[in-house]
Amino acid sequence: MDVLMPQLGETVAEGKITQWFKSAGDAIKPGDNLFEIETDKVSMEVPSTSAGVLAEIRVAAGEVAPVGAVVAVIADGTGASAPSAGKTASPTPAPVKQSPPPAAAPSSPAAPSSVATSPAAASAPIKLDPFFEVRTPDRNYGPARLPGGMRVTPLARRLAAQGGIDLAGISPSGPNSRIRARDVETALASGERAAPAATSAGPSVEQIKALYRDVPFEEVPLDGMRRTIATRLVQATQTIPHFYLTADVEIGALIKLREQANTAAPKDADGNPAFKLSVNDFVIKAWAAALQRVPAANAVWAEDRILRFGRSDIGIAVAVEGGLITPLMRNADTKTLSAISQEMKELSARARAKKLKPDEYQGGSSAISNLGMYGVREFSAIINPPHSTILAVGAARRQAIETEAGGVAFASVMSVTLSCDHRVVDGALGAELLAAFRGCVEQPVTMLV
């Protein structure tokens, strides 16, 4: 039985094996952890779904493999095909004999980078996996939506990948600008093939390194997280029409309410408080309430339509080693401040340990990025698709303001910048959303009812 690299999310195309819990020749039982994988967002242990002997390890610890690639082989345990214990097979080993297959199977396993499959493999019956409802695909054939916005059906993506067709050059015939299988078949019949990749507008790696040939430097290979951040944020800046709104918000009343709440928090036998609210907890609650007050902004762009939501699901940017991730605070509008505080601590801890599940960081309509704890006064954040807004929160500061009597007083002020997707949120709507947020922050008691 082939052990495949699983897919841990719709946008995940590869994974890095960080550790093997079993060695070649070890006996395996269903449920035994085989290896640990790390994607751009999470780290997860992968269990075996069958019994036998670990005959081969094809992807060693520290190596990266695409989704659907064969990373190991589990033999039936008869000993006829298992290599000697403790020996790791090379990346291209001789085929391993297994129990008699249900139909004619390929004589040797396909390499992970193989595009086409043989007719025999395509016609072979699929053995259902009792541990998973959906069978992991043999490989990832690319995203369902192209950078230009066109959607591609799964069959069309597979045919295009196998035939070397550039989907960007195909005219869609399906509804809502969807590329269908017959569009790709037409392109194949006409002899079209993928055009060579366009040359980057920027300098090449060699040109950049040449600038520093007399300067010592260290080359740091990109990991999955950094590569995904680069790809998604470049895509966001190229495809989302951003505009920005900045406002100053007085937070003196919020700070007083926070101090009172933390002082009044019940304590256990050891004197530990039941909760300790942060300014960020109030910001999350206020932003959730603002999205409820301005429901037209609680929405996302979906190509030929806008999706509006009845609840406030908000992504919170969390810095982790090598990058960042935005775990999702679901139903933030209905949760108490203490519940938000506790859940945020748990989400942040799992995010830094790369233990978040896909449904804990996918979805939502807006996000918050807070750099106030680093002393940053104000900044503009890039929208994380498919969100339509993101709120950038700066540090609190003491600032002189004019009083109603014409005098001068000092107040605690925080600058926030709202990045908006102009396809969903227009200027007046964005200003209304920002005003609703400011109203909640400057009158924090409204967040308690």
Side-chain angles (χ1 to χ4, degrees):
M1 172 185 172
D2 291 340
V3 180
L4 307 180
M5 174 66 71
Q7 186 165 18
L8 300 183
E10 184 179 352
T11 60
V12 177
E14 62 182 16
K16 177 182 179 181
I17 295 182
T18 56
Q19 178 184 0
W20 278 96
F21 301 111
K22 299 291 184 179
S23 302
D26 287 354
I28 305 296
K29 301 189 304 295
D32 285 354
N33 286 329
L34 293 177
F35 57 93
E36 181 182 60
I37 60 173
E38 179 183 87
T39 69
D40 57 310
K41 297 182 183 295
V42 298
S43 179
M44 182 176 292
E45 296 172 349
V46 178
S48 172
T49 59
S50 64
V53 174
L54 184 59
E56 301 180 52
I57 294 178
R58 297 191 178 180
V59 179
E63 295 182 356
V64 177
V67 169
V70 178
V71 300
V73 175
I74 297 179
D76 58 8
T78 60
S81 57
S84 58
K87 183 179 179 181
T88 302
S90 63
T92 56
V96 176
K97 295 181 180 179
Q98 302 181 7
S99 56
S107 58
S108 61
S113 60
S114 175
V115 174
T117 56
S118 67
S123 61
I126 298 173
K127 187 175 182 180
L128 294 180
D129 190 335
F131 283 79
F132 297 96
E133 296 180 0
V134 180
R135 177 177 175 268
T136 301
D138 289 338
R139 57 161 292 186
N140 186 295
Y141 292 103
R145 182 181 299 170
L146 301 181
M150 289 191 298
R151 296 174 179 270
V152 190
T153 65
L155 179 56
R157 297 201 304 272
R158 179 171 66 82
L159 293 176
Q162 293 176 346
I165 296 296
D166 182 8
L167 289 170
I170 293 181
S171 300
S173 65
N176 302 323
S177 300
R178 188 184 298 272
I179 297 176
R180 297 190 289 188
R182 69 181 185 185
D183 300 326
V184 178
E185 291 169 349
T186 301
L188 284 169
S190 64
E192 295 181 13
R193 287 293 183 271
T199 304
S200 173
S204 65
V205 175
E206 290 74 17
Q207 290 172 326
I208 295 175
K209 291 171 65 175
L211 297 175
Y212 303 98
R213 56 180 173 269
D214 298 327
V215 181
F217 61 84
E218 175 189 2
E219 291 190 30
V220 181
L222 295 182
D223 58 11
M225 174 175 286
R226 180 51 53 188
R227 185 178 289 109
T228 298
I229 291 173
T231 301
R232 286 181 62 82
L233 295 188
V234 167
Q235 178 186 2
T237 55
Q238 291 177 343
T239 61
I240 297 178
H242 285 65
F243 73 91
Y244 310 94
L245 303 171
T246 301
D248 289 337
V249 182
E250 290 189 31
I251 61 171
L254 185 151
I255 292 175
K256 290 181 181 178
L257 180 60
R258 170 179 172 263
E259 291 174 350
Q260 293 172 356
N262 287 338
T263 300
K267 297 178 174 59
D268 60 17
D270 297 327
N272 299 315
F275 58 81
K276 185 177 182 180
L277 304 180
S278 67
V279 171
N280 200 50
D281 298 329
F282 281 88
V283 169
I284 295 170
K285 181 66 176 179
W287 192 238
L291 290 171
Q292 290 298 303
R293 295 184 183 184
V294 189
N298 189 18
V300 300
W301 178 257
E303 299 309 324
D304 63 340
R305 67 201 69 192
I306 291 174
L307 307 182
R308 289 182 179 171
F309 305 99
R311 68 186 197 186
S312 298
D313 293 345
I314 303 172
I316 316 298
V318 175
V320 299
E321 183 179 359
L324 75 157
I325 191 171
T326 53
L328 207 62
M329 178 73 66
R330 297 191 184 274
N331 295 298
D333 54 302
T334 64
K335 294 176 179 175
T336 64
L337 284 162
S338 59
I340 289 175
S341 178
Q342 181 61 33
E343 184 174 343
M344 197 62 236
K345 290 181 176 65
E346 294 172 357
L347 287 172
S348 298
R350 290 208 301 278
R352 294 188 177 98
K354 293 189 175 182
K355 297 297 184 182
L356 289 176
K357 300 175 183 177
D359 63 346
E360 292 180 316
Y361 58 78
Q362 293 178 349
S365 63
S366 186
I368 297 172
S369 180
N370 190 344
L371 294 180
M373 64 285 293
Y374 298 102
V376 176
R377 176 174 175 174
E378 64 178 83
F379 66 102
S380 299
I382 300 174
I383 296 172
N384 183 30
H387 296 172
S388 60
T389 56
I390 182 171
L391 186 71
V393 181
R397 64 186 186 278
R398 296 290 289 174
Q399 179 174 302
I401 61 172
E402 183 180 1
T403 65
E404 295 181 357
V408 176
F410 282 87
S412 296
V413 177
M414 177 177 69
S415 293
V416 294
T417 299
L418 176 61
S419 304
C420 302
D421 182 345
H422 216 322
R423 299 172 300 180
V424 180
V425 179
D426 295 320
L429 184 61
E432 183 182 356
L433 179 61
L434 203 52
F437 171 76
R438 181 166 54 191
C440 292
V441 172
E442 294 183 347
Q443 298 179 359
V445 176
T446 60
M447 291 186 277
L448 303 180
V449 296

